[in-house]
Amino acid sequence: MTRKFKYSLCGFVIFIILAVSACICTNNQDELIQDDKVAFSPSKECENTIISLIKHSEKIDIVVFDINNDNIVEALQKAEKQGKKIRILTDKRQAATKASKVIDLYKAGINIRVNSKNKIEHNKFAVFDNKYVITGSYNWTNPASERNSENCLLSVENEDIIEDYNNRFEYLWQINTKKKSEAWFHKKLNQKQYNNRKYITKQQQKKIEKVLDDSIQTFSAKGGAVIVLDADSSQVLSMTSIHKGEGVVDYIADYTYQLGSIYMPFTVALGIKQNVVSNTTEFDVSKPLNVQGYNISDVNPLKVDKITLQDVLSKSSNIATAQIATDITPKQHNKFLKSLGLGEPIVLENLHTAKPILPDLDDEITIANLGYGFGIYATPLHVAAAYAALVNGGQYHALYLKKSEKTDGKQVIPSQISKEMREYLRQVVTNGSARKANLSYVDVMAKTGTVSKMIDGKYHDNIVITHVVGNFEYNGMHYVVYVLLDEPQPTKQTYGFVTSGWNAVPTMAQIINIIAKKS
């Protein structure tokens, strides 16, 4: 290497270092613009100006038609965490769209309202620290930066303009009341709607939501949930959660519920798999089952002394399923539960469920109780996915929303056992507690469950969660439908009963009618 080349190389390196240093210095300088500025899109100019103002301001008042720009939303959420005073007014119709991030901002704790006075809140302006105003056609959205022809104007320390915009903001903030905004947000957060609509149309989805809402009103329930899956792949086709009480409750994901009798089919399937029972096995149900001094009885004592395996589910026998469970080892139980996805939370895009609670199978009483679902807690999503594996040929698939997210299934029970389970579950509909779902045009299979709620450390027989999970085939598709009602009340039509067969089951039947285009 010649001396001249070395000097040239050194000079080039020094130039690069100085250039990088200059960039670093520039980036470390105050990013706020000190003079009026006009910017146009598609470009990042408006977006970057807004983000810079958010970063450098302590008091931020915003009126904007639409908000879904990822970077602006992130900047607002960070500003809220830093304790900055933020107020946002936006259009409620746009806020209800799938792309909107308004709900996310509200959940982040930002003081945000939707319009209740004027038909459309179409303003697009913001005031920062009573020093800066930005306005123009620019909506705070990704398309406004990336695709649309927009403009924004930044006005700096113009007292007359700032006063006018401040006055307008205060006027709009007062006429669009907090009370009406809170009611809107409460409704949206408690009526979560998820729908991939591969096999469920928008019209069907609206009908499903109405059926659930009508059932909640008919039975004076606190709320409820509906899930529809493709049974063969576990693609989520529809999910709806509605809560009528105080606070925000997503029945689908936020909480786990004791499974009760709805778990019985899993006990039966595992018993067949482990060769502890067969279709010729008989169970003595003439008296309570005594397990280490603890008596297990059937809720509705049977009028026979013995039943066979094919009657266990249709008669919903605690005694029989407890007998099956005690013949299976704790290791086999645990392995089976985890193979059905009952060991971990479920993650679906922005939906993250609670983790199931599995019993510690360290004594025979706990194992016996597991047989009929006492002591095991899971979310409705977990139940629906696990049930699909029982009836689809024995394959457990992780739930997914989009076709690209589909994963291969894992065989958890032999296909022959799955076929046998469908026969037993069909009898629950023809001869058991799910008779109100015995439709003329399709063979429905199902299992019901009614679980007493614990309040102040005590179970209450008439304060219950009722749920049902079923499956049916129609027009080449195999569906799973799950329905939950929270604290349904007795009515004249139910003759004072609150069990699942009187409320959750007819609700499921109506939803099946919608899917099969019978209503």
Side-chain angles (χ1 to χ4, degrees):
M1 184 183 295
T2 66
R3 181 175 297 178
K4 183 177 180 181
F5 182 81
K6 286 182 180 180
Y7 287 151
S8 298
L9 181 60
C10 288
F12 178 75
V13 171
I14 291 169
F15 171 80
I16 293 296
I17 292 171
L18 290 172
V20 172
S21 298
C23 289
I24 294 172
C25 290
T26 300
N27 288 336
N28 285 336
Q29 291 174 354
D30 192 335
E31 297 174 0
L32 274 179
I33 300 164
Q34 302 303 319
D35 297 309
D36 293 352
K37 177 187 176 183
V38 176
F40 301 97
S41 67
S43 77
K44 294 285 186 179
E45 282 190 274
C46 295
E47 175 184 324
N48 290 340
T49 301
I50 291 167
I51 291 170
S52 177
L53 289 163
I54 292 169
K55 286 180 179 178
H56 290 81
S57 302
E58 295 299 320
K59 181 176 179 291
I60 306 167
D61 290 331
I62 302 164
V63 186
V64 66
F65 178 64
D66 196 6
I67 309 176
N68 68 36
N69 183 289
D70 296 318
N71 297 324
I72 294 175
V73 167
E74 183 182 0
L76 286 167
Q77 290 170 332
K78 286 181 180 178
E80 172 64 25
K81 289 180 180 178
Q82 292 165 356
K84 297 183 178 184
K85 186 178 179 181
I86 305 170
R87 293 186 295 177
I88 301 174
L89 174 64
T90 190
D91 186 76
K92 66 182 176 184
R93 290 188 181 181
Q94 285 302 113
T97 61
K98 191 174 181 180
S100 175
K101 297 294 181 68
V102 168
I103 296 290
D104 294 339
L105 292 170
Y106 178 84
K107 289 170 71 175
I110 292 174
N111 190 2
I112 187 166
R113 295 183 186 180
V114 294
N115 64 304
S116 56
K117 189 68 175 176
N118 299 309
K119 184 176 181 180
I120 299 175
E121 183 46 71
H122 210 246
N123 277 296
K124 305 166 190 71
F125 73 83
V127 183
F128 301 85
D129 284 342
N130 294 322
K131 291 171 61 179
Y132 303 88
V133 170
I134 190 164
T135 187
S137 72
Y138 181 82
N139 267 311
W140 294 20
T141 64
N142 292 316
S145 289
E146 297 165 2
R147 299 192 295 273
N148 297 352
S149 177
E150 308 278 3
N151 73 84
C152 64
L153 167 67
L154 174 65
S155 180
V156 179
E157 296 186 337
N158 186 317
E159 292 182 4
D160 292 337
I161 290 177
I162 289 169
E163 183 179 3
D164 287 343
Y165 276 103
N166 267 333
N167 291 339
R168 187 62 182 175
F169 179 87
E170 293 298 338
Y171 168 74
L172 293 171
W173 191 251
Q174 294 304 319
I175 66 171
N176 296 288
T177 64
K178 179 180 180 181
K179 183 177 179 180
K180 289 186 177 180
S181 284
E182 288 297 313
W184 185 88
F185 279 111
H186 186 268
K187 180 181 178 181
K188 290 300 174 185
L189 285 166
N190 281 318
Q191 188 167 335
K192 292 193 176 181
Q193 303 160 15
Y194 316 84
N195 185 18
N196 198 51
R197 298 194 180 103
K198 182 179 179 183
Y199 307 109
I200 305 291
T201 66
K202 289 182 180 180
Q203 185 179 21
Q204 286 175 320
Q205 174 66 17
K206 287 180 180 178
K207 287 182 177 180
I208 289 171
E209 291 160 14
K210 187 176 186 307
V211 164
L212 178 60
D213 194 51
D214 288 347
S215 289
I216 291 167
Q217 293 186 47
T218 298
F219 301 109
S220 302
K222 284 187 173 181
V226 172
I227 299 170
V228 182
L229 304 182
D230 175 345
D232 294 328
S233 70
S234 286
Q235 182 177 16
V236 179
L237 306 179
S238 174
M239 293 188 284
T240 300
S241 173
I242 300 176
H243 178 58
K244 297 293 188 179
E246 295 181 359
V248 177
V249 175
D250 182 357
Y251 288 101
I252 286 170
D254 287 350
Y255 299 101
T256 59
Y257 306 94
Q258 186 157 252
L259 300 190
S261 301
I262 214 165
Y263 184 73
M264 288 181 176
F266 300 99
T267 301
V268 171
L270 181 57
I272 299 171
K273 181 181 179 182
Q274 298 302 330
N275 297 314
V276 301
V277 291
S278 69
N279 58 9
T280 60
T281 303
E282 291 189 333
F283 302 89
D284 183 355
V285 293
S286 61
K287 58 183 182 299
L289 177 68
N290 186 280
V291 181
Q292 295 179 337
Y294 176 82
N295 283 334
I296 295 173
S297 303
D298 285 329
V299 176
N300 298 307
L302 304 180
K303 297 177 181 179
V304 294
D305 291 339
K306 292 184 178 181
I307 61 173
T308 61
L309 187 64
Q310 64 182 349
D311 298 319
V312 169
L313 298 184
S314 62
K315 298 186 182 301
S316 202
S317 176
N318 294 345
I319 295 173
T321 48
Q323 289 180 49
I324 297 170
T326 53
D327 287 335
I328 301 168
T329 68
K331 184 178 180 180
Q332 290 167 338
H333 278 295
N334 283 320
K335 184 178 179 181
F336 186 58
L337 289 168
K338 290 175 181 177
S339 73
L340 292 168
L342 295 172
E344 297 296 333
I346 292 172
V347 178
L348 284 172
E349 291 187 352
N350 295 326
L351 185 70
H352 192 285
T353 73
K355 183 178 180 180
I357 301 171
L358 306 182
D360 187 2
L361 303 177
D362 54 359
D363 59 53
E364 194 174 8
I365 294 174
T366 305
I367 295 172
N369 283 334
L370 174 62
Y372 54 94
F374 186 83
I376 177 172
Y377 297 77
T379 72
L381 272 179
H382 285 93
V383 174
Y387 181 88
L390 285 187
V391 299
N392 69 6
Q395 286 203 345
Y396 177 82
H397 294 265
L399 294 176
Y400 69 99
L401 292 170
K402 300 173 184 175
K403 193 172 182 181
S404 59
E405 299 167 345
K406 182 179 179 181
T407 59
D408 293 334
K410 179 182 178 182
Q411 200 76 31
V412 292
I413 58 172
S415 58
Q416 181 57 38
I417 295 178
S418 177
K419 181 180 178 181
E420 197 171 342
M421 292 307 302
R422 288 198 296 272
E423 294 173 1
Y424 297 156
L425 290 163
R426 175 63 182 153
Q427 290 183 43
V428 179
V429 178
T430 57
N431 302 312
S433 56
R435 286 190 293 272
K436 289 185 180 296
N438 192 13
L439 304 173
S440 60
Y441 63 91
V442 66
D443 288 343
V444 179
M445 292 145 260
K447 186 67 186 81
T448 62
T450 302
V451 183
S452 298
K453 293 180 75 171
M454 182 178 281
I455 300 174
D456 298 327
K458 182 180 178 181
Y459 284 106
H460 295 257
D461 290 341
N462 290 322
I463 304 176
V464 299
I465 292 281
T466 64
H467 54 170
V468 60
V469 60
N471 64 293
F472 68 100
E473 294 184 39
Y474 182 79
N475 199 25
M477 272 291 298
H478 189 186
Y479 296 90
V480 166
V481 179
Y482 174 95
V483 174
L484 176 146
L485 293 173
D486 181 15
E487 294 189 22
Q489 302 300 306
T491 68
K492 264 186 183 179
Q493 288 71 28
T494 68
Y495 304 96
F497 294 108
V498 294
T499 49
S500 175
W502 291 97
N503 43 61
V505 171
T507 303
M508 180 181 73
Q510 291 181 68
I511 291 166
I512 293 171
N513 282 334
I514 291 168
I515 295 170
K517 299 179 181 178
K518 301 296 180 181
S519 65

